[in-house]
Amino acid sequence: MNRRSALKNLSLVLGTSALPSWAYQWNQHSFAASQGPNTELLGAVVNAIIPETDSPGAKTIGAHLYIERMVKDCMSKEDQQAFQNGLQKLASAAMKNYQKAFPMLSSQEQISLLTNLQNSTLPEENQFFKRLKGLTVASYTSSEYFLTQHRNYTMAPGFYHGCVPVQ
């Protein structure tokens, strides 16, 4: 295994274990109304990664807002810039290949662009896709919808019965 990629993956795991308090059991109303310049693009990307089926997709639950907040609050300035550059490269690839903005593409065209990122030989594109996909999955699986509807999450599991006779 490549030592550098192992250290990056380990730092990503350790970094997400020390999440801020707003990152647990969040919903789309947890975030302020302020949105960044790439909110629409990011919404389309997360919707392509976890599309809407009989359950809500990633965009419907607000995963793109979570990701924007994570990038802003939890990444270094260099990582934030790399993430924004990756989004801009994705947007320019959509314009170059299909002459449309990424959100206007069909789902097959969006998946094709994302697959090209995933299979890219350029390390920054591949790393961007891994980070984006990881953040999308993390945001979806830590959302209030997922935890309450699919994991049977309770805020305080177990009960304390203080008035029980001791024998």
Side-chain angles (χ1 to χ4, degrees):
M1 176 181 230
N2 186 351
R3 186 180 314 162
R4 183 173 296 213
S5 67
L7 288 174
K8 283 182 183 179
N9 292 337
L10 180 63
S11 65
L12 182 63
V13 168
L14 293 176
T16 56
S17 66
L19 294 175
S21 61
W22 57 261
Y24 296 104
Q25 196 181 2
W26 63 275
N27 61 33
Q28 60 185 339
H29 306 295
S30 302
F31 303 111
S34 64
Q35 297 178 353
N38 294 318
T39 301
E40 184 181 351
L41 173 62
L42 193 54
V45 172
V46 299
N47 199 49
I49 293 174
I50 302 178
E52 198 153 324
T53 57
D54 56 341
S55 61
K59 183 178 180 181
T60 305
I61 64 162
H64 58 298
L65 302 174
Y66 175 95
I67 292 171
E68 280 187 336
R69 183 84 181 256
M70 287 293 287
V71 168
K72 186 179 127 212
D73 289 354
C74 301
M75 289 186 182
S76 67
K77 294 291 182 193
E78 296 83 25
D79 289 341
Q80 288 178 23
Q81 189 60 44
F83 190 83
Q84 296 303 327
N85 290 344
L87 284 175
Q88 293 307 317
K89 284 182 183 178
L90 183 61
S92 63
M95 289 302 285
K96 178 183 172 191
N97 294 342
Y98 301 106
Q99 291 75 41
K100 291 190 229 174
F102 188 87
M104 303 302 157
L105 297 176
S106 70
S107 61
Q108 291 300 329
E109 293 167 338
Q110 290 177 346
I111 291 171
S112 172
L113 285 174
L114 292 174
T115 303
N116 290 343
L117 273 181
Q118 182 180 15
N119 298 331
S120 175
T121 56
L122 297 173
E124 63 272 1
E125 288 181 0
N126 194 283
Q127 186 66 27
F128 165 73
F129 180 77
K130 285 180 183 178
R131 177 171 282 167
L132 177 64
K133 186 176 177 182
L135 284 170
T136 303
V137 171
S139 65
Y140 194 83
T141 56
S142 66
S143 69
E144 180 181 6
Y145 166 78
F146 184 82
L147 291 174
T148 57
Q149 301 299 316
H150 295 283
R151 290 288 180 194
N152 197 18
Y153 176 82
T154 55
M155 186 62 137
F159 298 97
Y160 173 72
H161 300 287
C163 295
V164 177
V166 179
Q167 310 231 350

